[in-house]
Amino acid sequence: MSRSAARDARKLIRPLHGDLKRLLQQLVRTNSVAIPPGGDETPSQLVLQRFFRDQGVGAHLYATEFIEKSGNPLVRKNRSYRGRKNLSTRLSGTGRGKSLLLNGHMDTVPAGKTPWSRSPWSGVYQGGRVHGLGSFDMKGGLVANAAVICALKKSGIRTGGDILFESVVDEEWGGSGGTIAARLREGGADACIIPEGTQLDIYRATRGGFVVDLSVDAGDPAAYFSTAEVVSPAIPCGRLLGWVEASAKQRAQVRPRGAYAAFSDPVPVQVLAVQANLLDPDIPLSVPSRATLRVYFQFLPEEDVDAVIQGIKDALQQFQANDPFFRKYPIQWTPLIGAPLLGHELPADHAWTRCMAESAAAVLQRKPVITAAPYPCDAGLMHRDFGIPTLLFGPCGAGAHNPDEYVVFDSVLRTAEVLLTAALAWANG
Ligand SMILES: [Zn+2]
């Protein structure tokens, strides 16, 4: 990969800078929050479609609802796809090259209840950053993908293989429905890039994930202030937290073989929420009768996830059997999103990894870091279930799934340059 390829990519992206910044701001200002079972992505998809139209690119919006009746076993039953539209556009190649898929999700998580410094939908550009919900996860990445399409279209360059762009719904909360719809409608590709936030590192692997609510009902709320003995799950819940900690220590014994080998905590176990009554002025001083822990387990790409989860369940059963309180008031196991997400791993010496590494080196003028994602995403599905070699490479930023999220706009442009360089090398190679 020559420096001149990177220079050419920079030259093709440069005239788009202003339009790309405005697009990103507009996308952030357009609410596309998904809360299961639904999601409100379509207004943002329309913004993106309009942008493409102004750039002379035809892009199609299509309903994703058809997957509910597709019979595809990957489709989650607890979701609704009514009114939720994917957007796609394809630059057809000459047929003498490898195809590339540029995938990204338009949905964001909700803004949460922790206050933000400014509105989650401000889209303000300040200090080189675009601020707001979804800016980093992953509207910045979507804009970088869109830049590749517009630059290619404007230049009139016809690649060998097809370049397919898609902006999908229902990625957050592990839904995967948008990407499933896209594969059923658009078919596969020889490689895929997902520009989730990676701080301009290349992630060649992702983890699997599973969220489960552990709930306990005990006692009678009416008994508080009324009877001598009050039963509540709140204090026993502390012992259950102790079990989670023991479980985390047990998991920490797992030795990763591949991309996660250098991670200090390769298979984290986190408590996402602890609830037993609310600290809310509307709630009187009272003893809770229900306590819930929301626990998040992650898995290595090489692990047998079903077996690991069964092991965790068995250990929980044992803990319950040894605790008189939980014997009487059993722990309820309620998976939040259904079946676990699975991770994936692409070899470091795979042709697509090498292509991306060379492109990143040419644009960034340094050796890129090639590592693994500290999270699961659609990449696992893309790679495992649809057989498309998938990498993550995206902009710098912070605050994904938290207040004051932002993306560094320059890094969105760098992402676009790297992806364009890689697209030309891959699709013409
Ligand atoms: Zn994301």
Side-chain angles (χ1 to χ4, degrees), residues 11 59 62 92-93 111 140 159 198 200 209 224 244 257 260 286 309 379 391 393 420:
K11 220 181 291 170
Y62 60 92
S92 294
T159 50
T198 72
L200 298 176
Y224 190 47
V244 174
R257 291 194 298 270
Y260 288 92
S286 62
I309 291 175
L391 295 171
F393 179 83
L420 179 56

Side-chain angles (χ1 to χ4, degrees), residues 32-346:
S32 58
V33 168
I35 301 175
D40 197 16
E41 299 94 343
T42 302
S44 290
Q45 303 284 39
L46 284 165
V47 168
L48 187 51
Q49 187 185 39
R50 217 174 305 126
F51 170 83
F52 273 131
R53 192 187 305 138
D54 292 346
Q55 299 286 329
V57 177
H60 311 281
L61 278 179
Y62 60 92
T64 56
E65 210 177 346
F66 73 94
I67 65 169
E68 292 177 15
K69 295 195 180 75
S70 68
N72 189 300
L74 299 167
V75 178
R76 295 199 186 277
K77 300 274 180 281
N78 51 3
R79 302 291 164 117
S80 165
Y81 295 98
R82 243 252 322 270
R84 304 175 77 176
K85 291 182 176 173
N86 276 357
L87 179 142
S88 80
T89 182
R90 182 186 293 269
L91 299 179
S92 294
T94 60
R96 289 190 302 275
K98 294 182 293 254
S99 59
L100 176 64
L101 167 58
L102 309 166
N103 169 284
H105 65 85
M106 185 59 92
D107 56 320
T108 74
V109 293
K113 297 230 189 266
T114 314
W116 289 56
S117 307
R118 42 167 90 77
S119 160
W121 296 280
S122 76
V124 161
Y125 177 73
Q126 197 175 61
R129 300 167 170 181
V130 172
H131 295 265
L133 180 62
S135 55
F136 183 48
D137 181 14
M138 58 168 287
K139 290 174 173 176
L142 273 177
V143 166
N145 275 350
V148 173
I149 297 292
C150 295
L152 285 173
K153 179 80 181 181
K154 280 221 156 84
S155 70
I157 296 170
R158 185 133 186 241
T159 50
D162 285 8
I163 311 288
L164 173 62
F165 169 101
E166 63 195 26
S167 166
V168 303
V169 302
D170 189 41
E171 191 275 346
E172 298 292 357
W173 309 94
S176 318
T179 285
I180 295 168
R183 295 290 63 71
L184 297 182
R185 189 178 189 271
E186 301 288 343
D190 296 315
C192 171
I193 192 79
I194 306 181
E196 294 268 14
T198 72
Q199 320 294 350
L200 298 176
D201 292 345
I202 295 168
Y203 293 170
R204 65 180 180 91
T206 54
R207 283 198 284 239
F210 179 67
V211 181
V212 63
D213 286 350
L214 305 178
S215 301
V216 182
D217 290 305
D220 172 8
Y224 190 47
F225 288 130
S226 318
T227 59
E229 197 211 1
V230 174
V231 176
S232 157
I235 291 172
C237 191
R239 298 200 293 281
L240 188 52
L241 273 169
W243 173 81
V244 174
E245 188 179 27
S247 179
K249 282 190 180 137
Q250 181 86 36
R251 290 285 292 144
Q253 304 294 316
V254 174
R255 289 285 154 261
R257 291 194 298 270
Y260 288 92
F263 278 53
S264 58
D265 188 10
V267 283
V269 178
Q270 277 125 353
V271 173
L272 303 186
V274 179
Q275 185 168 300
N277 260 351
L278 296 175
L279 298 173
D280 189 311
D282 290 339
I283 305 291
L285 294 177
S286 62
V287 173
S289 58
R290 182 180 179 81
T292 303
L293 304 184
R294 177 162 291 177
V295 191
Y296 181 24
F297 294 94
Q298 291 190 62
F299 314 97
L300 294 171
E302 63 262 32
E303 281 189 292
D304 177 344
V305 171
D306 287 338
V308 175
I309 291 175
Q310 191 53 52
I312 292 166
K313 265 179 116 164
D314 291 346
L316 184 65
Q317 279 294 330
Q318 187 133 39
F319 165 77
Q320 179 172 295
N322 292 332
D323 187 299
F325 180 87
F326 290 117
R327 263 204 310 274
K328 192 165 173 196
Y329 304 104
I331 301 157
Q332 299 148 49
W333 170 280
T334 314
L336 182 68
I337 56 170
L341 287 171
L342 302 181
H344 91 289
E345 183 163 336
L346 192 63

